[in-house]
């Protein structure tokens, strides 16, 4: 499998996930990286478990308890002293029966696998992950918002978040299971096609002379070989999907015990949630391709008439390897349920642009405050970057964040991790809205739409003829078409970047002064009505799907990739985060 995520136990066939993060270790390293279960090690090959401290005194006393922190078996007497001794008072001592039930859950949640098993001590609010002491000094040396891991707020894994995560995992599992079923059905179909063709060929062979038997044998061998190769490829693809599914379900089953265990510590529950969330996200980011093999056969008409032919039939297999995006969920916006999952105000801010970071946090442009703000989805400011001039829009491109500066006719490039300014790029035009796709960048300049190919070479910049003015925001869809709006003319257009053809023009009596637009993963378009206090959701063809109300003077809007969620900001610093779910 690519990449390998684990293997079935040779004895019981239960799926065993690979150690560490996904693809962290090669298969050759797995055996050395699996954590030792000290409880199982202590009971292997013995009739009953002996108390470890008593063994040190030369006595053989049967143990009935297990100290989780010391990884030692204790008898009843030693358990009493263990709990009285000051350094051990907070140790967790369980009965052997209790410990044997929970020892299957990996006890590595509090251990940093990146830095030689050091214990997690702090939590980085900026990157939303736990850190050991080495993590803080190396990977997070530019971060400043930390808290003690044990003091992470209890509402960090509030029931709604757990439900959303579990629901997302369940939907993802269903999609993978659907692909597995289709590929298994493909295998059965290949068998059916093979059987049908074999019978057809045999019927023809019975009516022709014996000299054609050799050709019959050659074709059946060819078909058998092709069928075997095709089924082998499909089976390998099924195994790859199945392994990813087993990997995700394994961790979900194990870590959900901590989430649902009311007696578990908040730390363990937080770490279990983070672990499960990271595994889910990493599994989602993997490359998915669905293999479809279709064996086509056709008995030649001439075979029925002629004896001396070079072959009896055409045998081939058509393989279609389609990229599968399991992260995108199709939502019917016409009937979907609209939820406001967060609402807050950044005081004094004048928000003209923003974007979702890969961590789920928001990176916002405060035009009046001459700053960029990193905050979480509850409005907690994690970092501020002071700027010399007022900036406008924000767009993420790979490991960089692009921020436009209309007054200075330039674009700032930030590092998405460090949030440090990497470069200032002159573009030779007043740049407000910005969007990129592949090697193409489009910029709204208020009076035009400017297109850059292969970087920001001003000499190769070209202007798209729009026939509109007051163009403050732009977007690009997956087909490399640009969408833009006119604030003063109350119009939204989609236009081909290469051909220049107008694909649609949208206006509506309830769309006043469009100000800010974005697209989701399916090409649907979200347009702010600044003075109509609403959001218009359009299909990729420009058809109105829905009007969202309850927003006052929206100015910026961005969709979060792979999630049916978007945020809306205003010039008064108000932010609402919406999420759509199937009704």
């Amino acid at each position: 499998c690519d990449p390998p995520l684990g293997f079935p136990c040779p004895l019981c066939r239960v799926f065993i996930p690979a150690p560490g993060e996904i693809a962290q270790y090669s298969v050759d390293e797995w055996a050395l990286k699996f954590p030792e279960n000290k409880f199982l090690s202590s009971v292997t090959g013995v009739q009953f478990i002996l108390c470890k401290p008593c063994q040190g005194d030369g006595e053989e006393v049967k143990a009935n308890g297990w100290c989780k922190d010391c990884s030692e078996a204790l008898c009843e007497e030693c358990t009493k002293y263990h709990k009285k001794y000051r350094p051990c008072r907070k140790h967790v001592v369980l009965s052997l029966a209790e410990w044997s039930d929970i020892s299957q859950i990996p006890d590595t949640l509090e251990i940093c696998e990146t830095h030689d098993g050091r214990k997690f001590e702090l939590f980085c609010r900026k990157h939303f992950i736990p850190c050991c002491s080495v993590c803080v000094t190396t990977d997070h040396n530019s971060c400043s918002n930390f808290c003690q891991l044990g003091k992470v707020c209890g509402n960090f894994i509030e029931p709604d978040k757990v439900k959303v995560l579990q629901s997302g995992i369940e939907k993802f599992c269903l999609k993978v299971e659907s692909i597995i079923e289709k590929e298994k059905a493909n295998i059965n179909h290949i068998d059916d096609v093979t059987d049908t063709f074999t019978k057809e060929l045999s019927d023809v062979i019975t009516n022709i002379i014996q000299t054609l038997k050799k050709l019959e044998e050659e074709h059946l061998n060819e078909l058998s070989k092709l069928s075997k190769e095709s089924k082998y490829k499909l089976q390998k693809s099924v195994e790859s999907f199945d392994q990813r599914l087993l990997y995700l379900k394994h961790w979900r089953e194990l870590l959900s015990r901590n989430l649902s265990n009311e007696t578990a510590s908040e730390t363990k529950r937080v770490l279990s949630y983070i672990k499960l969330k990271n595994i889910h996200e990493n599994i989602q980011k993997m490359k998915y391709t669905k293999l479809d093999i279709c064996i086509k056969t056709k008995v030649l008409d001439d075979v029925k008439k002629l004896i001396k032919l070079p072959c009896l039939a055409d045998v081939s297999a058509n393989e279609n390897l389609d990229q599968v995006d399991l992260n995108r969920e199709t939502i019917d916006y016409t009937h979907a349920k609209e939820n406001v999952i967060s609402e807050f105000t950044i005081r004094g801010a004048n928000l003209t642009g923003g974007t979702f970071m890969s961590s789920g946090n928001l990176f916002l442009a405060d035009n009046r405050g001459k700053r960029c703000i990193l905050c979480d989805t509850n409005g907690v400011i994690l970092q501020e970057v002071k700027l010399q001039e007022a900036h406008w829009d924000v767009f993420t491109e790979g490991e960089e964040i692009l921020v436009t500066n209309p007054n200075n006719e330039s674009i700032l490039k930030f590092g998405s991790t460090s949030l440090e300014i990497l470069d200032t790029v002159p573009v030779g035009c007043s740049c407000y809205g910005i969007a990129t796709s592949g090697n193409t960048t489009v910029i709204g300049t208020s009076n035009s739409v400017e297109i850059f190919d292969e970087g920001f070479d001003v000499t190769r910049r070209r202007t798209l003829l729009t026939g509109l003015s007051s163009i403050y925001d732009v977007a690009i869809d997956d087909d490399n078409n640009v969408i833009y709006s006119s604030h003063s003319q109350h119009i939204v257009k989609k236009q081909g970047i290469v051909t220049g053809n107008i694909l649609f023009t949208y206006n509506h009596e309830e769309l006043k002064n469009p100000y800010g637009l974005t697209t989701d993963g399916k090409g649907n378009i979200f347009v702010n009505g600044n003075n109509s206090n609403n959001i218009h959701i359009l299909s990729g063809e420009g058809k109105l799907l829905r009007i969202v109300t309850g927003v006052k003077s929206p100015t910026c809007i961005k969709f979060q990739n792979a999630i049916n969620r978007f945020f809306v900001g205003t010039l008064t610093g108000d932010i609402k985060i919406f999420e759509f779910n199937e009704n």
Side-chain angles (χ1 to χ4, degrees):
C1 299
D2 182 25
L5 301 181
F7 59 92
C9 172
L11 289 178
C12 65
R13 311 307 296 172
V14 170
F15 181 77
I16 308 298
E21 303 295 333
I22 292 176
Q24 182 177 356
Y25 303 113
S26 67
V27 176
D28 295 338
E29 299 177 279
W30 284 5
L32 298 175
K33 297 297 181 180
F34 281 115
E36 178 189 3
N37 189 318
K38 294 184 178 181
F39 175 78
L40 293 180
S41 298
S42 66
V43 301
T44 302
V46 299
Q47 293 182 345
F48 55 86
I49 307 173
L50 297 177
C51 173
K52 188 73 173 179
C54 290
Q55 277 186 302
D57 294 335
E59 303 178 26
E60 291 189 356
V61 181
K62 186 176 181 180
N64 59 5
W66 181 270
C67 177
K68 180 182 173 184
D69 298 272
C70 298
S71 296
E72 286 187 350
L74 303 172
C75 66
E76 186 174 353
E77 190 70 20
C78 289
T79 299
K80 293 180 181 178
Y81 288 109
H82 200 74
K83 292 181 177 179
K84 290 180 181 180
Y85 185 47
R86 184 183 296 272
C88 306
R89 286 178 182 174
K90 293 184 179 181
H91 286 195
V92 178
V93 180
L94 303 173
S95 69
L96 291 180
E98 291 176 315
W99 181 241
S100 63
D101 288 338
I102 68 173
S103 62
Q104 298 180 48
I105 300 176
D107 199 24
T108 57
L109 289 174
E110 300 181 15
I111 302 301
C112 178
E113 297 176 349
T114 306
H115 298 118
D116 300 325
R118 292 176 180 268
K119 193 171 183 178
F120 288 132
E121 299 173 2
L122 299 173
F123 184 82
C124 177
R125 294 184 180 275
K126 176 182 175 181
H127 294 101
F128 211 61
I129 54 175
C131 305
C132 71
S133 56
V134 179
C135 292
V136 173
T137 57
T138 56
D139 304 331
H140 299 265
N141 54 356
S142 63
C143 302
S144 58
N145 201 327
F146 294 94
C147 70
Q148 291 293 326
L149 189 58
K151 295 182 180 180
V152 177
C153 297
N155 61 4
F156 179 78
I157 50 171
E158 56 198 18
D160 287 345
K161 289 186 177 180
V162 175
K163 288 180 180 179
V164 170
L165 177 59
Q166 295 282 24
S167 174
I169 292 175
E170 184 63 28
K171 290 178 181 178
F172 187 84
C173 289
L174 290 174
K175 291 178 181 179
V176 176
E177 287 171 346
S178 174
I179 293 177
I180 291 174
E181 288 301 317
K182 290 178 181 178
E183 294 197 344
K184 286 181 176 179
N186 195 173
I187 294 175
N188 293 332
H189 178 67
I190 288 175
D191 285 333
D192 293 340
V193 171
T194 302
D195 294 341
T196 301
F197 179 69
T198 302
K199 182 179 182 303
E200 182 181 0
L201 189 60
S202 296
D203 290 342
V204 174
I205 291 299
T206 57
N207 296 319
I208 61 177
I209 60 178
Q210 189 64 34
T211 55
L212 296 180
K213 288 291 185 179
K214 183 178 178 180
L215 289 176
E216 176 195 10
E217 182 179 356
E218 290 176 355
H219 279 297
L220 290 177
N221 288 340
E222 181 185 358
L223 177 64
S224 177
K225 179 181 177 181
L226 187 60
S227 176
K228 182 178 179 180
E229 291 175 349
S230 299
K231 291 193 290 183
Y232 174 79
K233 292 177 182 178
L234 282 165
Q235 188 60 45
K236 293 298 291 183
S237 180
V238 168
E239 289 173 2
S240 179
F241 276 110
D242 197 45
Q243 190 176 89
R244 298 178 188 189
L245 187 62
L246 288 170
Y247 182 91
L248 184 59
K249 287 185 174 180
H250 168 86
W251 284 112
R252 180 185 66 179
E253 179 181 351
L254 294 185
L255 299 178
S256 292
R257 296 181 188 178
N258 286 340
L259 293 174
S260 61
N261 186 355
E262 297 180 355
T263 62
S265 66
E266 284 296 324
T267 298
K268 173 146 287 189
R269 296 180 69 239
V270 168
L271 292 173
S272 297
Y273 173 80
I274 295 173
K275 179 79 173 182
L276 186 57
K277 182 175 181 292
N278 288 341
I279 289 173
H280 180 212
E281 291 176 347
N282 289 335
I283 284 285
Q284 286 183 303
K285 292 177 183 176
M286 294 169 64
K287 181 179 178 181
Y288 289 87
T289 55
K290 185 178 83 65
L291 179 62
D292 184 14
I293 302 176
C294 178
I295 292 182
K296 294 185 177 181
T297 62
K298 180 181 179 182
V299 177
L300 302 178
D301 293 336
D302 292 338
V303 172
K304 302 176 183 179
K305 302 176 181 179
L306 302 176
I307 297 176
K308 296 181 180 180
L309 293 174
C311 62
L312 295 178
D314 289 331
V315 180
S316 62
N318 294 333
E319 296 185 14
N320 295 319
L321 194 62
D322 297 328
Q323 187 74 27
V324 180
D325 189 350
L326 298 181
N327 297 329
R328 291 185 179 181
E329 182 179 355
T330 302
I331 289 289
D332 179 5
Y333 291 117
T334 306
H335 303 99
K337 184 178 180 181
E338 163 200 325
N339 298 309
V340 177
I341 63 171
S342 182
E343 186 174 2
F344 55 90
T345 299
I346 298 180
R347 297 189 180 280
N350 182 269
L351 303 178
T352 53
T355 187
F356 279 100
M357 306 287 284
S358 59
S359 62
N361 294 325
L362 297 174
F363 190 75
L364 307 168
D366 177 7
N367 181 266
R368 181 170 53 204
K370 297 181 181 180
R371 59 176 177 164
C372 287
I373 302 168
L374 179 71
C375 69
D376 64 18
T377 53
N378 293 315
V380 177
I381 296 179
L382 306 176
Q383 188 173 341
E384 291 187 15
V385 181
K386 296 293 185 181
L387 304 174
Q388 296 298 317
E389 296 181 335
H391 288 68
W392 194 269
D393 198 14
V394 179
F395 195 90
T396 53
E397 181 186 26
E399 297 299 318
E400 295 180 340
I401 305 173
L402 307 179
V403 181
T404 60
N405 182 346
N407 295 327
N408 199 33
E409 297 187 347
S410 63
I411 293 173
L412 287 182
K413 289 187 176 181
F414 289 79
S416 61
T417 302
S418 64
L419 297 187
E420 295 179 351
I421 298 176
L422 305 177
D423 194 11
T424 301
V425 182
V427 291
C429 59
S430 296
C431 45
Y432 290 89
I434 184 172
T436 68
S437 177
N439 296 323
T440 302
T441 301
V442 295
I443 293 175
T445 70
S446 176
N447 296 317
S448 65
V449 174
E450 301 296 318
I451 302 172
F452 293 82
D453 296 311
E454 305 292 341
F456 294 100
D457 186 350
V458 177
T459 62
R460 300 178 61 184
R461 187 185 82 205
R462 52 196 176 94
T463 301
L464 192 68
L465 299 177
T466 65
L468 299 178
S469 60
S470 303
I471 302 172
Y472 291 106
D473 212 347
V474 291
I476 304 179
D477 65 12
D478 289 341
D479 296 323
N480 219 29
N481 300 311
V482 62
I483 303 105
Y484 53 89
S485 61
S486 167
H487 179 70
S488 60
Q489 295 167 270
H490 321 291
I491 288 176
V492 179
K493 282 187 178 183
K494 177 189 276 193
Q495 190 169 353
I497 291 179
V498 177
T499 64
N501 295 335
I502 302 296
L503 303 178
F504 74 73
T505 299
Y506 173 82
N507 55 17
H508 194 282
E509 61 181 4
E510 294 185 37
L511 179 64
K512 302 298 182 184
N513 304 106
Y515 207 81
L517 57 85
T518 187
T519 59
D520 67 4
K522 291 293 185 181
N524 298 305
I525 304 161
F526 291 64
V527 184
N528 286 336
N530 182 249
N531 285 342
S532 51
N533 300 317
N534 53 25
I535 302 166
H536 289 236
I537 304 178
L538 313 179
S539 69
E541 295 73 36
K543 177 184 177 182
L544 177 63
L545 302 177
R546 184 175 187 152
I547 297 178
V548 178
T549 58
V551 291
K552 186 177 181 180
S553 303
T555 53
C556 58
I557 182 171
K558 277 294 190 306
F559 213 87
Q560 186 173 7
N561 292 334
I563 302 178
N564 295 305
R565 181 181 297 179
F566 65 93
F567 86 89
V568 180
T570 71
L571 294 180
T572 56
D574 298 322
I575 289 180
K576 276 189 177 183
I577 301 178
F578 293 85
E579 186 172 87
F580 283 105
N581 301 106
E582 292 292 355
N583 195 349

